[in-house]
Amino acid sequence: MEHQAGQGATARPQGPKREGAGPLPRLGRPAAALAGTTPVCGVVLVLPTGAEASARRPSPLVRAAVAPLARSLGKACAPKGVLVHVVHYRVGGWNGGDAALSADARWAVDEAVSRYGDVPVCLAGYGMGGRAALRAAGHDAVNSVVALAPWLPDDGLAAPAEPVRQLLGRHVLIVHGSNDRRVDPELSYRLAERAKKTNRDTCRFEVRGDGHTLRGHHREVAALTKDFALGALLPRAFSRPVEDALAAPPPLGLRMPLATGFGRTLTD
């Protein structure tokens, strides 16, 4: 469910538009409103999943799948001055070299900066949206990325490896279920391992026994995402498990188990 922004989220003129015919991407309304005159000090952009190839408009179901996460993030982030938007893509597919979902993610960051000024942005994507978040991280306004069960191509000898240079200087969190049958968890491990070589602020959590949707541990995944996003966007510390994961060398910091009940003992 979408809600209107509060008075503290003063809307600015609309951001850059794409040239040419066809649908435009857009930001959904903030998942939760800011109170009173609370200034916007950060933005989380939630990126839904998509298909490998599709020129059709995305199904509303892909946004519905990330709506609970967006609402949970909005409830936790709005009191801190951080707005949460779900990105509405132009089309539903990555579409090869077009990398359409990544292009829309970069557009969304431009739009957030146009609306709210020079504030840090966290990209939080699920599935193909996780790949889009990682790819779009090179935008100057992005300071952090959360990739949940990211869809990644097999970076074997026959294919070029997914780029990681754009992650330099960003805080990066990857979360993957150990029983994901749709996307091999080892693909995200290999990407995290390459990223960690040049960007120490990279960590990866494994959700033992969970699948691609991470439904079995959705509360823990939401709590981890909130902790990471707020720690990256605001002058506050990460939780101890996240600090430990960021500090630990591979493979430990890239195979950190997400504990059952994570978030229940976190304090503000």
Side-chain angles (χ1 to χ4, degrees), residues 30-114:
L34 303 189
T37 57
T38 302
V40 178
C41 57
V43 176
V44 179
L45 298 176
V46 178
L47 304 172
T49 193
E52 286 190 61
S54 174
R56 296 182 178 182
R57 293 301 297 268
S59 165
L61 295 178
V62 299
R63 293 193 300 273
V66 297
L69 174 64
R71 287 194 296 267
S72 180
L73 287 171
K75 183 179 179 180
C77 292
K80 312 294 190 301
V82 174
L83 284 174
V84 178
H85 291 272
V86 175
V87 176
H88 295 223
Y89 302 129
R90 292 169 297 151
V91 295
W94 183 267
N95 299 334
D98 289 345
L101 305 190
S102 177
D104 286 355
R106 289 193 297 273
W107 176 92
V109 179
D110 282 337
E111 178 68 6
V113 171
S114 176

Side-chain angles (χ1 to χ4, degrees), residues 124-146:
Y126 163 69
M128 192 69 77
R131 185 186 186 190
L134 292 164
R135 277 284 191 99
H139 192 293
D140 289 343
V142 174
N143 84 340
S144 50
V145 177
V146 179

Side-chain angles (χ1 to χ4, degrees), residues 227-244:
D227 178 78
F228 191 84
L230 289 174
L233 295 172
L234 303 177
R236 56 180 275 173
F238 294 112
S239 66
R240 181 61 183 272
V242 171
E243 290 282 8
D244 289 347

Side-chain angles (χ1 to χ4, degrees), residues 9 21 26 35-36 56 65 68 70 79-80 98-99 115 128 138 147 153 160 168 196 218-219 240 242 245 257 268:
R26 66 185 179 89
R56 296 182 178 182
K80 312 294 190 301
D98 289 345
R115 291 189 189 189
M128 192 69 77
L168 185 63
K196 188 76 172 180
H218 65 94
R219 290 187 179 87
R240 181 61 183 272
V242 171
D268 234 352

Side-chain angles (χ1 to χ4, degrees), residues 186-268:
E186 285 303 302
L187 295 177
S188 69
Y189 175 80
R190 295 206 298 259
L191 181 138
E193 190 175 39
R194 289 192 291 113
K196 188 76 172 180
K197 291 178 180 178
T198 56
N199 179 21
R200 65 181 301 273
D201 292 323
T202 300
C203 65
R204 177 178 174 277
F205 280 73
E206 292 187 342
V207 189
R208 303 287 170 80
D210 218 335
H212 184 67
T213 64
L214 300 170
R215 188 173 295 129
H217 297 79
H218 65 94
R219 290 187 179 87
E220 289 88 348
V221 171
L224 178 61
T225 302
K226 287 182 281 188
D227 178 78
F228 191 84
L230 289 174
L233 295 172
L234 303 177
R236 56 180 275 173
F238 294 112
S239 66
R240 181 61 183 272
V242 171
E243 290 282 8
D244 289 347
L246 289 169
L252 183 60
L254 304 180
R255 295 194 186 278
M256 188 69 68
L258 180 59
T260 300
F262 178 91
R264 294 177 187 173
T265 60
L266 294 183
T267 57
D268 234 352

